[in-house]
Amino acid sequence: MIQDTPYIKNQCLGFLMKKAFQCIVGQADKALERYDLTYAQWMVIDQLNTSGPTGLLNLAKALDLDPGALTRTIERLELKGLIHRVRTQQDKRLCQIELSKKSKDLIGVIPSLLADVMNHHLKGFEREEYEKLILALNHVIHNASTAKEHISQALNAQSSACANLSSNLSIERST
């Protein structure tokens, strides 16, 4: 086990990753203000640019977002004229979300702006440190994909231990 100490917030991987993410997103949001965009809205535009028109559920899955939260973002982007919802020919109840001309114009500008934001947060890193950071984060993400099984096993073990303890306590009380 890597972390054999008790929980210490400023040494906790989850806390530090969230704090770093909040710092980056905060700066990205400030940089995107002049385009009347947030980082979350940009992520939708960027994903649609990468994947092409798609449905809400597919977009939510690709961005790892709750479809309800994504719906609000889609509505805001639609009001800004950055995306369109288009009914599919196969099923008029379904919509494909696609980029507008206005958002396609932003695609040529925003990535370099966000690269500056990201690079600012990496100031002082040597190339090797940066590569190790990327490798480590990808390792954490990979481990997260197997965490569900691990957590389930740990919970089962805890449940068994609690059941045994409860059973032992019941036996002691009855004697």
Side-chain angles (χ1 to χ4, degrees):
M1 175 179 273
I2 300 291
Q3 187 169 350
D4 56 357
T5 60
Y7 173 82
I8 301 171
K9 185 166 74 171
N10 66 351
Q11 294 178 7
C12 175
L13 176 66
F15 174 80
L16 292 171
M17 288 175 59
K18 182 174 182 176
K19 187 72 175 164
F21 179 74
Q22 289 171 328
C23 292
I24 292 168
V25 169
Q27 291 299 311
D29 282 344
K30 284 181 185 171
L32 291 169
E33 278 178 355
R34 70 181 98 162
Y35 298 100
D36 191 29
L37 275 179
T38 65
Y39 185 70
Q41 292 168 346
W42 168 252
M43 294 307 297
V44 171
I45 292 170
D46 185 55
Q47 181 62 38
L48 288 169
N49 183 51
T50 302
S51 68
T54 190
L56 178 73
L57 294 178
N58 288 337
L59 187 57
K61 185 175 181 179
L63 293 170
D64 199 23
L65 293 173
D66 173 72
L70 182 57
T71 298
R72 292 185 290 281
T73 302
I74 295 296
E75 289 168 354
R76 289 183 183 111
L77 288 170
E78 196 170 32
L79 286 171
K80 293 176 183 186
L82 294 169
I83 61 163
H84 303 291
R85 287 188 250 198
V86 179
R87 299 267 175 220
T88 63
Q89 294 298 324
Q90 298 85 351
D91 186 343
K92 297 292 184 192
R93 296 171 295 173
L94 299 177
C95 289
Q96 290 284 98
I97 302 163
E98 60 183 42
L99 296 175
S100 70
K101 165 90 170 83
K102 186 177 176 183
S103 64
K104 289 179 182 175
D105 293 340
L106 292 173
I107 290 166
V109 178
I110 303 295
S112 62
L113 177 72
L114 291 176
D116 288 342
V117 170
M118 302 305 163
N119 285 332
H120 176 75
H121 288 82
L122 294 169
K123 191 168 47 176
F125 277 70
E126 298 293 328
R127 165 70 61 196
E128 185 178 319
E129 290 175 302
Y130 168 74
E131 289 171 358
K132 283 182 179 179
L133 175 63
I134 297 302
L135 186 65
L137 290 172
N138 278 311
H139 196 129
V140 169
I141 291 165
H142 170 75
N143 288 346
S145 69
T146 62
K148 189 175 186 179
E149 179 182 316
H150 173 75
I151 290 170
S152 177
Q153 290 171 353
L155 288 174
N156 286 338
Q158 283 183 344
S159 293
S160 294
C162 287
N164 289 339
L165 179 62
S166 177
S167 173
N168 290 340
L169 288 174
S170 295
I171 292 170
E172 287 176 15
R173 283 189 192 137
S174 64
T175 56

